[in-house]
Amino acid sequence: MPDGTRDALLRSVPRLPAEPIRATWLPTTSPVRLSSGQVLLCWTPGLDGGTDVAAPLTTGAVSSELGDGAYARQGATVSGAVQDVVMEPSKTVQILWDRMQDRDWAGVGRLLADDVVVEWPVSGERILGRENYVRINAEYPEGWSINVLRIVPSGKEVVSEVEVPHDTMGVHRVASFWTVHNDLITSGREYWTELGTDPSPAWRAPYVQRI
């Protein structure tokens, strides 16, 4: 493929991050395995056997849409590039909760920095490292589900509010404050509470409505 054409393909990919892009060109007639945050650029031969023509870019082949580790292929691809694309931090947090709901613990781990630190102030606990955070969630007694109420981004900081009903342990809510760098959660502070268990003192009764 002519170098000028390769450059034009790279420039045409939408929503590129500001930092330099790492792209590896490779010949392939087989599906290409994508990892988190990658998109496949394709190049196909001309149908008349003459000059090569650029195929439409597979902008839909971002693994967050196809699933982590998905395979993508377009027609008679003979060469292409696998290019890193940084996700929005809020997307990283949304995928975190989706993978928890799916019990995809390996996938949860891939969203966490090795040295991630997560604090639970209500119970006075700090979780150090990816493996500990994954295991403490994986080993929680079954019967729960995840309902994401909202995700509020602010640059690399993301806040999520999530409801976690449990078959036998009531309904919990968690307000989580995450820091995300390059698609990885590096720190978090989560405030867990069980709905209806915090007492409502009588002196507040004239000023509030029960929910």
Side-chain angles (χ1 to χ4, degrees):
M1 180 188 301
D3 290 340
T5 305
R6 292 182 182 182
D7 293 342
L9 283 171
L10 289 174
R11 287 196 300 270
S12 66
V13 178
R15 295 182 290 103
L16 293 181
E19 58 267 23
I21 297 300
R22 298 182 301 278
T24 302
W25 290 90
L26 68 161
T28 177
T29 55
S30 302
V32 175
R33 186 175 180 85
L34 299 178
S35 59
S36 181
Q38 291 187 324
V39 63
L40 177 67
L41 313 184
C42 288
W43 178 264
T44 58
L47 296 178
D48 59 0
T51 305
D52 285 351
V53 295
L57 299 179
T58 56
T59 53
V62 179
S63 62
S64 62
E65 297 177 13
L66 293 178
D68 191 49
Y71 288 86
R73 185 180 182 183
Q74 178 174 352
T77 301
V78 295
S79 64
V82 176
Q83 176 173 334
D84 293 338
V85 178
V86 178
M87 289 186 292
E88 291 293 328
S90 58
K91 183 66 173 178
T92 299
V93 172
Q94 178 65 62
I95 294 173
L96 173 76
W97 291 116
D98 291 345
R99 291 180 179 179
M100 283 199 185
Q101 172 62 33
D102 294 340
R103 278 60 167 176
D104 177 8
W105 303 116
V108 169
R110 288 194 294 272
L111 296 173
L112 305 173
D114 287 339
D115 57 352
V116 65
V117 177
V118 179
E119 295 180 345
W120 288 352
V122 174
S123 57
E125 296 171 291
R126 178 180 294 117
I127 306 166
L128 301 177
R130 171 194 293 146
E131 182 64 20
N132 286 333
Y133 185 79
V134 170
R135 294 318 311 160
I136 203 170
N137 283 282
E139 295 178 16
Y140 193 82
E142 264 298 345
W144 52 270
S145 58
I146 297 289
N147 179 22
V148 177
L149 302 179
R150 57 179 164 173
I151 293 177
V152 183
S154 179
K156 294 180 179 179
E157 307 297 322
V158 181
V159 179
S160 61
E161 182 185 9
V162 173
E163 186 169 273
V164 185
H166 193 284
D167 291 343
T168 61
M169 300 171 65
V171 180
H172 289 77
R173 287 260 183 99
V174 56
S176 305
F177 298 80
W178 307 105
T179 301
V180 182
H181 290 284
N182 296 325
D183 296 347
L184 293 178
I185 294 171
T186 59
S187 65
R189 181 173 292 119
E190 298 191 283
Y191 294 88
W192 286 89
T193 186
E194 184 179 355
L195 298 189
T197 59
D198 195 21
S200 176
W203 67 265
R204 286 207 303 252
Y207 314 111
V208 302
Q209 292 181 337
R210 299 293 296 168
I211 57 175

